[in-house]
Structures are given as C-alpha cells and as structure tokens.
Amino acid sequence: MRTTNVQDQVLRAALDLFSTQGYATTSVQEIVAAAGVTKGAMYHYFSSKDDLLFAIYDRLLSLQKARLDEIVARGAERGDAVEDVLRAVCEDVVATSIEFMPEGTVFTRSQHMLMPDRQAEVKRRRREYHEEFEALLRRGIDEGVFRGDVPTAMLIAHFFSDVHYLSQWYSPDGPLTAAQVAEQLTELFLRSIGRAPGED
Amino acid sequence: MRTTNVQDQVLRAALDLFSTQGYATTSVQEIVAAAGVTKGAMYHYFSSKDDLLFAIYDRLLSLQKARLDEIVARGAERGDAVEDVLRAVCEDVVATSIEFMPEGTVFTRSQHMLMPDRQAEVKRRRREYHEEFEALLRRGIDEGVFRGDVPTAMLIAHFFSDVHYLSQWYSPDGPLTAAQVAEQLTELFLRSIGRAPGED
Amino acid sequence: MRTTNVQDQVLRAALDLFSTQGYATTSVQEIVAAAGVTKGAMYHYFSSKDDLLFAIYDRLLSLQKARLDEIVARGAERGDAVEDVLRAVCEDVVATSIEFMPEGTVFTRSQHMLMPDRQAEVKRRRREYHEEFEALLRRGIDEGVFRGDVPTAMLIAHFFSDVHYLSQWYSPDGPLTAAQVAEQLTELFLRSIGRAPGED
Amino acid sequence: MRTTNVQDQVLRAALDLFSTQGYATTSVQEIVAAAGVTKGAMYHYFSSKDDLLFAIYDRLLSLQKARLDEIVARGAERGDAVEDVLRAVCEDVVATSIEFMPEGTVFTRSQHMLMPDRQAEVKRRRREYHEEFEALLRRGIDEGVFRGDVPTAMLIAHFFSDVHYLSQWYSPDGPLTAAQVAEQLTELFLRSIGRAPGED
DNA sequence: TATGAATGAGGCTTCATTCAT
DNA sequence: GATGAATGAAGCCTCATTCAT
C-alpha cells in the first residue's frame, strides 16, 4: 500500500465530516480529533485544509474517469451498439455515485470553496469526462438512434443532474436498491433521448 | 412599502455575495460594505447572518409555492388536461429558476449551513411543494397518461434534479433562451414519464 | 487629538517590545497584553502585525523629513552659509535620533521584515531624504567649502552610519549628553569632509 | 579536513538565507532543503537553529580578531608609526567586511536573536576587539598624532559605524572597488581624528 | 551517521455579535 | 433607528525539535 495510516485516517474523517457538516463548518481540529492524529502529523501529509478537499475530489474524479474509459473501451472491443454502451455507462455512473455518495455530496456542495486553481482543474477534468460522454451521444445521433433536435449540452446536463441530485433524495435504507435506481434513472434518460417514433 | 431601504440593500448584497463566494466565505462586514450600510443598521433588521440566508430561502420558497398554486388553480378552473397542467408547471419552474438563478445557487450550496430549525422548515416547505407536484403525477398515472412503473419519488427527483442543476451549466449569455430551456427540459421530462406505446 | 487611546497604547507597547526583543520575537499577544487591550480591538485599528511595524517607521520618517525640510528652509530664508546649514541638519538628526532611539533600533533591525511593498516605500522615502541631504553637500562642493574628491554617496553613508549606529553604543545614562554627542559627531563629520588646506 | 560536507553545506545555506530573508523568517526546513541534506543530518551536527547563527558569528569574530592581531603584531615588529598601523587596520576591516558582507548583514540584524548567553559571548569578544583598537587610538593620542578632545568610545563608534553600514549602501556591482572604499573611508576617519593644526 | 514522520506549543488573523452612545 | 468600537472565541497554519528506525 502506498498511503500511510495517517493519510487514510485523515481522509476518511475529512470525508465523513465534510459530507455531514459541510467543508466550511468543519474545523481542522475536528478532523484530526476524529482521525486520532495530531495536527502536525496531518500537516505533514496535507499542506492545507483545501488539500484535503481536493484529495477527495481527486479520488472521485479519477475513479469515475477510469470506469468510463473502461466501459467505453470494452464496448468498442466487443462492437456493442452505442445504446448498449451508453446504458452501461449511465447505470455504472449512478451505481458508483450511490456507492460514493459522501464524496458526491461534498463534490456538489463545496466545489466553490476550493482554491481557484484547483477549482479550474476540477472543471477541466469534469469537462473531459463530459466530452467522452458526449462522444457517445453524438455517435448515437449520427447513427440515428438518438434524437438530434436537442443540444447535446442539454442532454448531458439532463443526465448528470440526476447523478448529482441523488444525495438529495436517495437513501440506501429506503425501498430501492442502488441497482434499481441505476436501471430506472437510466431508462428514464434513454427514453427521453430516443428517436421518437415519427421523428425524421 | 413594507421593506425599508436598508433591508433591501442588505438582502440584495447578501444574495449577490452568497451566490458568488458562498455563505461561509462571505463576512457580515463584506455584506454591509456592499450594501452601503453599517453593521449596526443591519443588525437592527436582521438578527443574525443566518437570518439573511433564511430570508433568501423564504422568498424563493414563497415565490415558487405561489406560482405552483396559481398554475394548478388555473388549470383546475379551466379543466385543463393533467399533462397540460404539468407542462405549464414544469416550464414555469424552469423559467423561474433561471430568472432567480442566484437564489437557486445559494439554495443548493448552502442549505446545510442554516440553523437546524430553519433547515427543518425549509425541508417541510419543500416537501409540501413536492407533494403538490406529486399530486399531479399521481392524477396522470391514475388517468393512464403517465407511466406507473416508476415510483413517483423518483419521477419528482428526476425533474427537480434538472431544476437544481441549471446553475451548473446554463448561462443567459449562451445560445439558448430561458424559454427554450424550459420547453426542452420539460419535453424531455414529459417524454420520459409518458406511458410507453406498448405499456399496459 | 486624532488617535484613540487604543492606537496609542498599542503603538507604544509595540515600539517598546520591538526595540527590546525584536519584531519577530514579539507576539501580538504580548503587545496587546502590554497595551492592556484585546486582540480584537487592536485588529480594529491595525490590519496586521506588519502594520504596527510600518506605523513606527512612518512616524519616524515623517518626523525626520519634516525637521530636515524646516531646517533647510530656515537656512535658505536667512541666507546661512551651507556649512552652517549642514551643521544644523546633522546636529538635529543626531539629537533627534537619540530622542527616538527605540524607533531607530527597530528601524535598523527590522526593516527587512516589512512586507515588500512597504519596504519599497520606506526605501523611497529614505532616498528622498538622502537626496535633500545630498543637495547640501553638492552645493558645498560647488562653493568649494567641501571636498570634491569623494563621491557624495560615500559621504552620505559616512554620516548616516553614525546615526544608525547610535543605539549600538550610546546610553543616555552615560557621561555624554545628547547635545554633546550631536555636536561631536557633527564636528567629526564636518572635519572629514572639509576642503583640506592644500586641496585644490 | 575538519568539517564534513554536511556542516559546510548547511552553514553556507544558512548564511545565504539568513542574510537574505533574516534569521526569524528562515525555517530550518528551508535551510536543509537549500543545503540538500535532511533535518536529521543537520541536527546531528548542530544542536539548534541558534547554533547555526552562532557559528556564523563565531567565524566572523575569529577571522576579524585574527586579522587585527596579525596586523598589530606586524606593525609592532616593524616599528611602524601608529598612524600607519591604524590605517592598515582600518583598511583591512573595511575590505574584509565587504568580502564577508553576508556575514556582516546577519551580524547587524540578528544579534538580538541569539540565546542570551551567546549574545553575551559575542558582546565580550566584540569588546575585546574594540579594546585592541582603542589601544591604538590611545597610543596615537598619547603620541600627539590623534586628537584627544573626543572620547575614544566615540571615535571607535565613529569608525565601526561605517563598517556596519556598508551593507546598507555598498554594492560590488557599483562603480567603487572594495579597495577604493576601504581607502576612502579610512581616509575620512583618519582626517577626522587627526590633531587639528591649531590644536594643543 | 542519517532518516523523516510525528509532536505540541504557539503564531497571526478573522469574525459574528454586542453595547454604550 | 443607527453607529462603530470592542469582544472573545475560534480558526488555520508553522515550526524547532525529538525519536524510533
């Protein structure tokens, strides 16, 4: 393993507290107390509170990018229909977002508290991610299986809004499993972007 | 007039700063400076910084509730089809949310920073709002025009996610007008919840 | 009076502690404790610890410039010989520097701890001061009463080195009065820059 | 060799940083980074940050003392006139101080940051040095070649002020060589302390 | 000899709020 | 109604030094 115990404990505590109380409302003191380490030890590994926040973003962005890349690559390898690839992508994003809901909560709420340069990096990586997603949409549109009368930017927003909104309503203790939510949200999305029967 | 100049100036400044920099990052000093009033004057009208935040929520929630009530009432009065009423509601919510985007930004980002009791009130009023929206959905399902195979909670989330996500991507300087976005997002939503051709 | 009690007390305490222990070694806590005010009150009037340091510099620089201006102006008014004007200037600088020795100590030791822009301002104002002093030297050289074989920059340094060095050796409790020191150091300086008997 | 590489590197880095940024503003971390060694290694050779500062003083004091002793001894050996010996001493001090300007800068600025006992030692060695210098002055006064109407303490201060002030104005990139400065400052000093024509 | 993670005390600053006027 | 000086608690971060390896 590459990360020491201190790093792990601190990140775990930070994630927990940030997602629960918010970034601004959580003090470094609380974090180190929850992690069971001293402030000095924490600052040995992280150069600022902002660093902790970014580390959380970084992990989430990396993870999602890797999964997207992998699913797209696998689909290409197998020659899957674009609709099937997109469905796999969407279901995976939703399921992963549920699995990493605390990260997602922090992501949505606290992006504006990152240092400007880091905020820019997050935006850049998010844009890259969206572009890969858009490529699938565009291919579907070209192939005539997705509707072409709505800007792709809006279609992208339409899907990712669901992903970001999960933490506002979904609870793992509720009646729906993550898989069900993933399947149903994906189905709603796909139905809304499908070529309508009479469409040209 | 009901509100004095001080109240207006302060709320305007607070909204501007909270939506731009975030609630936690904005000091009371900055707000009063931007509003051109003194701290004492501000504290004469608002009992705390939290009060300012809540006032912003209050206005937005009242506004949206009033508009929803009005549209539903008008639809009932005219005996409009439920699909038409829902369309009107959705388009209005989107358009209004664009018009009040700063409020929406604050709403999404800073809800967790409100005092607990106020947070509870916001949740309650939001729930009431959603219940009125759900009534429309349920009526449509009962009438057989909307699909019944997806929980209404998910359909609600599916729509309001778009509304909350607007500030993440929409810019009034872009190619799309607010009306176009309202119409297109509504259309995407309605298509996804409509009874499918072969559905029972 | 323009300054409140808090400002006065704080500056007095800061001057005392900075000159005694050094700027870096003195904590804001110590200053406010010595001044008998709270930290918050201090930060109401001074925006940083650096501000305190600069305030000390500012007062000293303003004072010295004002005195120099006045003496030069008076000399011009009365048509005094340049040597007499220079003597008056030098004696005054030395005497004033003894009177404000704590300020001078801080000045010498802690200039490099000022924020860069303030350091630049101090340098600028010091240069202006030196230029006015240099004008006297130059006039004396032109009139043939001061030697012309040594760069004025060195003559300036030769005199002000004595001024800065006072705090290293002079004590008001010693055998020499401030006036005596002023007169003797001035005499040493004037003798060293006078035209030598056989000089051309 | 007596000093290991680590010691040399660390002292070199410390001198550079202390003279540039000041002692208090320089962290041990910066020093070891600049020296290319680790903290542990540094603390193996130096017991504290204060130790580094003192080592710089120690070297400078030893050097200057050695040179003074040597020049005085040589003068005695050759039976040189006191004025010639003093001239040699002064020119050497100035030239050496220019050569070791960083050390001098640190010396002037940071003496008050040494631990009390070390500060006392520095003062003691400085005093010894001055006493040897004073002996020359006194001899000259007794021989009637230097003026006797000014306390020797002031004459000493008058000379060493120039030495300490060098770093405030002299730059090796300027028009004057170190030798020229040494000669001219010495000449100014000697002229000011010489017996005046009409003096008794 | 040397490493570098960890300590723990202390530093500077911010800020929502109060209160005498 | 309105002022703005003052409070006091808390916040983030730095750093010289130690110590197990």
Side-chain angles (χ1 to χ4, degrees):
Chain A
M1 64 182 139
R2 290 279 308 289
T3 59
T4 76
N5 212 36
V6 170
Q7 280 178 77
D8 278 347
Q9 297 303 323
V10 168
L11 277 183
R12 215 188 302 280
L15 173 59
D16 181 37
L17 291 165
F18 290 167
S19 67
T20 305
Q21 319 177 346
Y23 174 77
T25 325
T26 302
S27 72
V28 170
Q29 185 54 59
E30 283 177 284
I31 296 169
V32 297
V37 305
T38 63
K39 244 187 269 195
M42 189 214 97
Y43 275 100
H44 187 73
Y45 292 102
F46 301 95
S47 63
S48 65
K49 191 185 170 190
D50 188 274
D51 226 34
L52 292 175
L53 184 56
F54 183 71
I56 293 171
Y57 280 80
D58 187 36
R59 282 204 332 205
L60 186 59
L61 290 166
S62 299
L63 178 88
Q64 293 186 326
K65 185 62 161 56
R67 299 188 72 106
L68 175 61
D69 288 348
E70 193 205 322
I71 295 174
V72 168
R74 194 186 335 135
E77 213 172 280
R78 303 199 301 216
D80 288 340
V82 66
E83 193 173 356
D84 293 333
V85 177
L86 186 60
R87 174 178 295 107
V89 163
C90 290
E91 290 188 354
D92 183 76
V93 174
V94 173
T96 306
S97 293
I98 286 175
E99 193 180 347
F100 294 88
M101 200 126 83
E103 280 87 346
T105 302
V106 174
F107 193 97
T108 302
R109 279 186 189 161
S110 305
Q111 195 170 340
H112 63 293
M113 315 218 61
L114 276 175
M115 308 251 80
D117 52 334
R118 270 155 166 193
Q119 218 166 318
E121 181 181 345
V122 169
K123 276 194 176 142
R124 182 180 57 68
R125 287 167 70 176
R126 234 122 164 100
R127 190 169 45 244
E128 282 175 19
Y129 184 90
H130 284 169
E131 280 165 2
E132 195 167 348
F133 189 88
E134 187 183 21
L136 289 176
L137 288 176
R138 199 153 289 291
R139 190 178 129 209
I141 293 168
D142 291 345
E143 293 179 6
V145 297
F146 298 151
R147 63 195 299 181
D149 60 336
V150 176
T152 52
M154 189 179 289
L155 296 182
I156 294 171
H158 184 51
F159 175 68
F160 284 102
S161 73
D162 276 321
V163 174
H164 278 81
Y165 202 66
L166 280 167
S167 64
Q168 295 290 317
W169 67 277
Y170 179 75
S171 162
D173 304 331
L176 298 166
T177 66
Q180 285 174 317
V181 173
E183 191 202 316
Q184 293 187 321
L185 282 180
T186 299
E187 199 271 342
L188 287 171
F189 175 60
L190 289 178
R191 196 191 292 190
S192 65
I193 69 167
R195 192 193 184 87
E199 203 182 344
D200 244 350
Chain B
M1 63 182 143
R2 289 281 305 291
T3 61
T4 75
N5 210 37
V6 171
Q7 283 178 74
D8 277 349
Q9 296 303 322
V10 168
L11 279 183
R12 216 188 302 280
L15 172 60
D16 180 38
L17 291 166
F18 290 168
S19 68
T20 305
Q21 321 176 347
Y23 174 76
T25 323
T26 300
S27 71
V28 170
Q29 185 56 56
E30 281 178 284
I31 296 169
V32 298
V37 305
T38 63
K39 252 191 249 196
M42 190 216 96
Y43 272 99
H44 187 76
Y45 291 102
F46 300 94
S47 65
S48 67
K49 189 184 171 191
D50 188 274
D51 229 36
L52 294 175
L53 184 56
F54 183 70
I56 293 171
Y57 281 79
D58 187 37
R59 282 205 332 206
L60 186 59
L61 290 167
S62 299
L63 178 88
Q64 292 185 326
K65 184 63 159 54
R67 299 186 72 106
L68 176 60
D69 287 349
E70 191 205 324
I71 296 174
V72 169
R74 198 191 325 142
E77 215 172 280
R78 302 199 302 213
D80 288 342
V82 66
E83 194 173 354
D84 293 334
V85 178
L86 187 60
R87 175 178 294 108
V89 163
C90 290
E91 290 189 355
D92 183 74
V93 175
V94 173
T96 305
S97 293
I98 286 175
E99 193 180 346
F100 294 87
M101 200 125 86
E103 279 88 345
T105 303
V106 174
F107 193 97
T108 302
R109 280 182 185 165
S110 304
Q111 196 170 339
H112 62 293
M113 315 214 66
L114 275 175
M115 309 251 79
D117 52 335
R118 274 162 164 182
Q119 218 166 321
E121 181 181 344
V122 169
K123 273 192 178 144
R124 183 179 56 70
R125 288 167 70 176
R126 211 98 194 110
R127 190 168 46 245
E128 282 175 19
Y129 184 92
H130 284 169
E131 281 164 2
E132 195 168 347
F133 189 89
E134 188 182 21
L136 289 176
L137 287 177
R138 198 152 290 290
R139 191 179 128 207
I141 293 168
D142 291 346
E143 292 180 6
V145 297
F146 299 151
R147 63 194 300 179
D149 60 336
V150 175
T152 52
M154 189 179 287
L155 296 182
I156 295 170
H158 184 50
F159 175 67
F160 284 101
S161 73
D162 277 321
V163 175
H164 279 81
Y165 202 66
L166 280 167
S167 64
Q168 295 290 317
W169 68 277
Y170 178 74
S171 162
D173 303 330
L176 298 166
T177 66
Q180 286 173 318
V181 173
E183 191 202 315
Q184 293 186 322
L185 283 180
T186 298
E187 199 270 342
L188 287 170
F189 175 59
L190 289 178
R191 199 196 283 196
S192 67
I193 70 167
R195 193 192 184 89
E199 201 182 344
D200 243 352
Chain C
M1 68 183 136
R2 289 281 307 291
T3 59
T4 76
N5 212 35
V6 171
Q7 282 179 75
D8 277 348
Q9 296 302 322
V10 168
L11 278 183
R12 216 187 302 278
L15 173 59
D16 181 37
L17 290 165
F18 290 168
S19 68
T20 305
Q21 319 177 346
Y23 174 78
T25 324
T26 300
S27 71
V28 169
Q29 184 55 59
E30 283 176 283
I31 296 169
V32 297
V37 304
T38 63
K39 248 189 262 197
M42 189 214 97
Y43 274 101
H44 186 73
Y45 292 101
F46 300 95
S47 63
S48 65
K49 191 185 170 190
D50 187 274
D51 227 34
L52 292 176
L53 184 55
F54 183 72
I56 293 171
Y57 280 79
D58 186 36
R59 281 205 330 207
L60 186 59
L61 290 166
S62 298
L63 178 88
Q64 293 185 326
K65 184 65 159 56
R67 297 187 73 105
L68 175 59
D69 287 349
E70 192 205 321
I71 295 174
V72 169
R74 195 186 334 135
E77 214 173 278
R78 301 200 302 215
D80 289 341
V82 65
E83 193 172 356
D84 293 332
V85 177
L86 186 61
R87 175 178 295 108
V89 162
C90 291
E91 290 189 355
D92 183 76
V93 174
V94 174
T96 306
S97 294
I98 286 176
E99 192 181 346
F100 294 87
M101 199 126 83
E103 280 87 345
T105 303
V106 174
F107 193 99
T108 303
R109 279 185 187 162
S110 304
Q111 195 170 341
H112 63 292
M113 315 218 62
L114 276 175
M115 310 253 78
D117 51 335
R118 267 149 169 200
Q119 219 165 318
E121 181 181 345
V122 169
K123 275 193 176 142
R124 183 180 55 69
R125 287 166 69 176
R126 216 106 187 104
R127 190 168 46 245
E128 281 175 21
Y129 185 90
H130 284 170
E131 279 164 2
E132 196 168 346
F133 189 88
E134 187 182 21
L136 289 177
L137 288 177
R138 199 153 288 292
R139 191 179 127 208
I141 293 169
D142 290 346
E143 294 181 4
V145 297
F146 299 151
R147 63 195 297 180
D149 60 336
V150 175
T152 51
M154 188 178 289
L155 296 181
I156 295 170
H158 184 51
F159 175 67
F160 284 102
S161 73
D162 277 320
V163 175
H164 279 80
Y165 201 66
L166 280 167
S167 64
Q168 295 289 317
W169 69 277
Y170 178 74
S171 161
D173 303 332
L176 298 167
T177 66
Q180 288 175 316
V181 174
E183 192 202 314
Q184 294 187 321
L185 283 179
T186 299
E187 200 271 342
L188 287 171
F189 175 59
L190 289 179
R191 198 192 288 193
S192 66
I193 68 167
R195 194 192 182 88
E199 201 181 345
D200 244 350
Chain D
M1 63 181 141
R2 288 280 305 289
T3 61
T4 75
N5 210 36
V6 171
Q7 283 177 76
D8 278 348
Q9 296 303 320
V10 168
L11 278 183
R12 215 188 301 279
L15 173 60
D16 180 37
L17 290 166
F18 290 167
S19 68
T20 304
Q21 320 176 346
Y23 174 77
T25 323
T26 301
S27 71
V28 170
Q29 185 55 55
E30 282 177 282
I31 297 168
V32 297
V37 307
T38 63
K39 251 190 253 200
M42 189 216 96
Y43 272 99
H44 186 75
Y45 291 103
F46 300 93
S47 65
S48 66
K49 189 185 170 190
D50 189 273
D51 231 34
L52 293 176
L53 184 56
F54 183 71
I56 292 170
Y57 280 79
D58 187 37
R59 283 205 331 207
L60 186 58
L61 290 167
S62 298
L63 177 87
Q64 294 185 325
K65 185 62 161 55
R67 298 186 73 106
L68 175 60
D69 287 348
E70 191 205 324
I71 294 173
V72 169
R74 196 190 326 139
E77 213 173 281
R78 303 198 300 214
D80 288 340
V82 66
E83 193 173 355
D84 293 333
V85 178
L86 186 60
R87 175 179 292 108
V89 163
C90 290
E91 288 188 355
D92 183 73
V93 175
V94 173
T96 306
S97 293
I98 286 176
E99 193 180 346
F100 294 87
M101 200 125 84
E103 280 88 346
T105 303
V106 173
F107 194 96
T108 301
R109 280 183 186 165
S110 304
Q111 195 170 339
H112 62 293
M113 316 214 65
L114 276 175
M115 309 252 79
D117 53 333
R118 275 166 162 178
Q119 218 166 319
E121 181 180 346
V122 169
K123 274 192 177 145
R124 183 181 55 71
R125 288 167 69 177
R126 212 94 195 111
R127 192 169 43 246
E128 283 174 20
Y129 183 90
H130 284 170
E131 282 164 1
E132 195 167 348
F133 189 87
E134 188 184 19
L136 288 177
L137 287 177
R138 201 153 287 291
R139 190 179 130 209
I141 292 168
D142 291 346
E143 293 180 5
V145 296
F146 299 151
R147 64 195 297 179
D149 59 338
V150 176
T152 52
M154 190 179 288
L155 296 182
I156 294 171
H158 185 51
F159 175 68
F160 284 102
S161 73
D162 276 320
V163 175
H164 279 80
Y165 202 67
L166 280 167
S167 63
Q168 295 289 316
W169 68 277
Y170 180 74
S171 163
D173 303 331
L176 298 167
T177 66
Q180 286 173 317
V181 173
E183 190 201 316
Q184 294 187 320
L185 283 180
T186 299
E187 199 270 342
L188 287 170
F189 176 60
L190 290 179
R191 197 193 287 195
S192 66
I193 69 167
R195 192 192 184 87
E199 204 179 346
D200 244 351

